[in-house]
C-alpha cells in the first residue's frame, strides 16, 4: 500500500500500538494461509499472536474488519496512474485490480468477504464501509479529470468509480478475471465516452 | 416470467414432466419460505414434494440450479421495454430489477446464491450459466438500439448488459437497493452516452 492510499484508509485503530498491530496482522495472515477462510477466527488469530481477544476487538470491531486489512496487505499495489487521460487511468486501475485478484490470495479473500457479508451484519457493515472508501478513492481519478476539463462538471466521481468497481466485483464473483485487455478497455471506454466534455 | 423470457431460458429439463416439475418447484418455494436459505436442501424439497431425490437431480443438476428457478418464479416480471430509446429501456430494466429485489424475497435468494457460489463449484457453475443467459437477454435491448441506428455498430451488446447488471449486483450485495431514480438514470446515462452514434 502506498502512502497516499494509506492516508485514504479509514482511521480505524488510529491510536493502536503499531508493533502489536503488526504482530496481529502477521498472525492473521498466517492463520488465513494455513487454515483458509473457513478456519479464520479472531480466536485463532489471538492464539497465534499471543494477544488477548479484547485487544484485537479494540482495534478491529469484527472479524471482517480484520480480514479487510489483511486483504489490503495481500493485494498487490493497485495502480492509480495520473497519465492525464482518464480512460488510460481507469484502464490501468482495472487491469491492476483484476491482476491482483487473479494472481494473489487477495481475490479469494475478497470474494469470501463479500459472501460472508450476505449472512453476517458486521461483515456487511465492514464491507460497505470499505467499499465506500474505495469508491471515494478511485473517484479521485475522475475528480482530477473534471479539474483538467476532460470530464464534464456535474458528473459524480464516486458514481463512476462505483460503475468501474461493480464491473470488477461481478467479474471476481463469476470467475471472469481473465477478461482480455481489449474487453477492459471497451468497458472503460463506454463509461468514459459517456462523461467526456 | 413472460413468454419471451421463458423461451430465452436455458433448456435444462426440457423433457421433464410439467406437472411433477411444478409440484417440485412449489415444494421448493414452500421449503424456502419456511426454512430459509440455510434450511433449503434437495432432501427437504424431495420430502415435501413426495418425489425421489434422483427425479429432482435429473431435472436440476444442483441445489443452486433449482434455487435459480425458484428465484425466477419469485422475482416480479422485469421490464424489458421497447420505447425506441435505449436509455429509457435500460433505466426501466434497472428500476424494475432493483424494485423486484427490494420488494420480493427474490433479492435475498439471489444474494444467497451469489454467496454460495463463492464456496461451492456447482453453485458457481449454475450462477455463471444463469448470468450469461441474462446478459444475452438484456443485451437484446442494445441489439435493437444498434439495429435502429441509435447505438454504434461494434458495441458488444452483452458487455453493455454486463455493465448494467454488474451495477445492479453490487448494489444488491452492499445493501444499496434504495438508490434514487436520478442515480439510476445517471448510471445508465453514462453508459449510453458512451456508446451512442
Amino acid at each position: 500500500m502506498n502512502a497516499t492510499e494509506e492516508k485514504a484508509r479509514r482511521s480505524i485503530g488510529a491510536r493502536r500500538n503499531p508493533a502489536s498491530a503488526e504482530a496481529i496482522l502477521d498472525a492473521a495472515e498466517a492463520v488465513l494461509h494455513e487454515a483458509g477462510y473457513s478456519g479464520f477466527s479472531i480466536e485463532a488469530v489471538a492464539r497465534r499472536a499471543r494477544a488477548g481477544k479484547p485487544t484485537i476487538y479494540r482495534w478491529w470491531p469484527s472479524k471482517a474488519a480484520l480480514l479487510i486489512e489483511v486483504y489490503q496487505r495481500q493485494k498487490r499495489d493497485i495502480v492509480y496512474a495520473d497519465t492525464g487521460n482518464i480512460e488510460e487511468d481507469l484502464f490501468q486501475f482495472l487491469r491492476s485490480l483484476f491482476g491482483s485478484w487473479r494472481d494473489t490470495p487477495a481475490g479469494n479473500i475478497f470474494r469470501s468477504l463479500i459472501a460472508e457479508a450476505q449472512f453476517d451484519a458486521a461483515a456487511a457493515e465492514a464491507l460497505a464501509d470499505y467499499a465506500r472508501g474505495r469508491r471515494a478513492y478511485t473517484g479521485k481519478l475522475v475528480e482530477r479529470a473534471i479539474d483538467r476539463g476532460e470530464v464534464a462538471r456535474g458528473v459524480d466521481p464516486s458514481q463512476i468509480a462505483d460503475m468501474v468497481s461493480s464491473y470488477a466485483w461481478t467479474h471476481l464473483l463469476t470467475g471472469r478475471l481473465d477478461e482480455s485487455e481489449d474487453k477492459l478497455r471497451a468497458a472503460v471506454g463506454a463509461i468514459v465516452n459517456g462523461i467526456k466534455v
Side-chain angles (χ1 to χ4, degrees), chain A:
Chain A
M1 198 179 309
N2 60 40
T4 344
E5 212 177 344
E6 173 76 41
K7 216 163 49 188
R9 267 189 345 190
R10 298 187 67 248
S11 62
I12 286 179
R15 274 162 303 169
R16 67 196 183 196
N17 174 328
S20 318
E22 281 301 302
I24 290 166
L25 287 167
D26 287 346
E29 272 188 1
V31 168
L32 197 61
H33 182 71
E34 285 161 23
Y37 189 85
S38 60
F40 186 88
S41 67
I42 294 282
E43 197 127 36
V45 173
R47 228 175 8 247
R48 178 92 183 203
R50 298 184 195 189
K53 278 169 62 175
T55 305
I56 300 183
Y57 276 117
R58 198 163 58 232
W59 295 334
W60 293 277
S62 64
K63 180 179 116 171
L66 178 56
L67 269 168
I68 284 174
E69 194 150 346
V70 173
Y71 162 69
Q72 291 183 289
R73 283 175 126 208
Q74 297 231 341
K75 80 176 179 189
R76 277 197 315 241
D77 275 356
I78 300 303
V79 176
Y80 290 97
D82 188 1
T83 64
N85 176 335
I86 182 64
E87 196 160 347
E88 184 63 26
D89 288 357
L90 287 174
F91 165 70
Q92 289 191 18
F93 162 72
L94 210 48
R95 184 178 55 183
S96 68
L97 184 59
F98 273 55
S100 171
W101 281 346
R102 201 178 48 224
D103 304 335
T104 76
N108 278 332
I109 299 176
F110 199 58
R111 64 198 200 105
S112 302
L113 264 168
I114 295 173
E116 180 143 326
Q118 307 315 312
F119 301 111
D120 179 276
E125 200 182 321
L127 179 68
D129 254 24
Y130 174 73
R132 199 177 305 118
R134 298 319 298 166
R135 286 197 296 278
Y137 195 75
T138 309
K140 289 188 193 308
L141 302 182
V142 181
E143 275 170 37
R144 283 201 311 249
I146 294 174
D147 287 346
R148 67 179 173 256
E150 192 187 6
V151 162
R153 292 199 179 276
V155 166
D156 174 356
S158 89
Q159 181 167 38
I160 302 304
D162 196 4
M163 294 170 67
V164 173
S165 70
S166 293
Y167 181 82
W169 280 39
T170 308
H171 277 71
L172 171 66
L173 294 169
T174 52
R176 291 184 289 145
L177 291 178
D178 54 353
E179 209 69 283
S180 71
E181 296 202 352
D182 283 354
K183 280 256 179 164
L184 297 187
R185 280 194 189 278
V188 167
I191 295 174
V192 165
N193 289 336
I195 58 175
K196 268 194 181 159
V197 169

